[in-house]
Amino acid sequence: MITYKQIDETYLEQYDKIPMQTHVSSYYKIEKINNGLDGFNLIETEISPYIKNFCEDENDLVINWAKEFDTSNWAFFMAFDSEVPVGGAAIASRTKGINMLSKRNDLAVLWDIRVAETYKNQGIGKELFNMARNWSKNQGLIQMKIECQNTNVSACKFYHSLGAVLSVIDEYAYYNEPKYKHETMFIWFLEI
């Protein structure tokens, strides 16, 4: 049986043990209509499959976020199968130095969400997402902002299914990051 709880920083080492990766077998190709003036089409395009690991170095460790930022206005949630951590979510708000918050005091950013591979497609991600949304609402926040990439089709479909609206397509967001240069940033917003 899966159990869920809001956690404090003493759990972050356990949180870090949950892999954050996705199987990529397609991406959203962006077709600009009249150079974008008349909109865009997103075309799901198959590619040679690979696994994308979002936690590649020390900077990606959750435990280091708590050292880098004042997380007093953040919340962390975890899912457990007995005592084994199988999912996690982090939500940030009202924190100086977080550009994603756009200097807004009414905005939350879904900083992280992950589910261990063998536990995906069982509703764990949805439950963690809803916990983050409910926490944000209880904090008096009015929107949740979510970043993902055009190569994470399953995440895009997940956020869309939960009511988020794709609001920003930034083809050059990762331009200075050579291994991600081919990816496009998608920013979603969810009214809380």
Side-chain angles (χ1 to χ4, degrees):
M1 184 172 129
I2 305 299
T3 57
Y4 301 88
K5 65 179 173 180
Q6 185 171 349
I7 59 158
D8 60 30
E9 292 181 10
T10 63
Y11 283 84
L12 296 185
E13 276 188 48
Q14 289 183 56
Y15 190 119
D16 275 326
K17 291 178 182 174
I18 306 162
M20 187 176 183
Q21 52 190 215
T22 189
H23 291 269
V24 178
S25 59
S26 64
Y27 75 103
Y28 282 119
K29 180 180 178 182
I30 299 156
E31 178 185 87
K32 296 176 187 152
I33 304 166
N34 189 22
N35 287 333
L37 192 59
D38 294 323
F40 301 86
N41 285 324
L42 298 180
I43 302 162
E44 188 173 349
T45 306
E46 291 187 16
I47 57 173
S48 296
Y50 66 95
I51 295 175
K52 180 176 179 179
N53 183 4
F54 291 90
C55 297
E56 295 182 332
D57 60 41
E58 291 282 318
N59 295 328
D60 298 324
L61 293 175
V62 178
I63 202 160
N64 288 335
W65 302 341
K67 295 174 186 171
E68 184 178 354
F69 302 110
D70 172 8
T71 58
S72 59
N73 290 313
W74 293 39
F76 299 91
F77 305 95
M78 286 182 71
F80 296 88
D81 185 354
S82 295
E83 297 297 316
V84 178
V86 297
I91 189 91
S93 72
R94 300 176 178 124
T95 306
K96 289 183 181 182
I98 302 287
N99 293 334
M100 286 285 288
L101 287 168
S102 305
K103 297 181 181 178
R104 288 177 53 188
N105 286 324
D106 62 353
L107 179 68
V109 171
L110 185 64
W111 196 257
D112 180 70
I113 188 165
R114 61 181 74 184
V115 176
E117 186 64 35
T118 56
Y119 289 86
K120 289 185 177 181
N121 300 310
Q122 298 179 30
I124 295 171
K126 183 176 181 181
E127 181 64 27
L128 290 166
F129 185 92
N130 286 333
M131 291 173 80
R133 177 185 3 210
N134 291 337
W135 178 87
S136 299
K137 185 175 183 174
N138 291 336
Q139 299 301 308
L141 306 173
I142 62 169
Q143 282 184 319
M144 183 187 297
K145 186 176 184 180
I146 309 156
E147 175 187 353
C148 72
Q149 297 75 35
N150 67 324
T151 55
N152 196 344
V153 172
S154 61
C156 291
K157 290 178 178 179
F158 174 72
Y159 298 133
H160 181 263
S161 75
L162 294 169
V165 176
L166 179 58
S167 301
V168 177
I169 298 172
D170 187 346
E171 294 179 276
Y172 303 102
Y174 310 114
Y175 190 77
N176 290 324
E177 299 178 44
K179 71 173 138 180
Y180 302 117
K181 190 175 184 174
H182 67 284
E183 295 184 359
T184 297
M185 177 191 286
F186 286 174
I187 299 291
W188 300 79
F189 280 90
L190 177 75
E191 300 298 320
I192 300 174

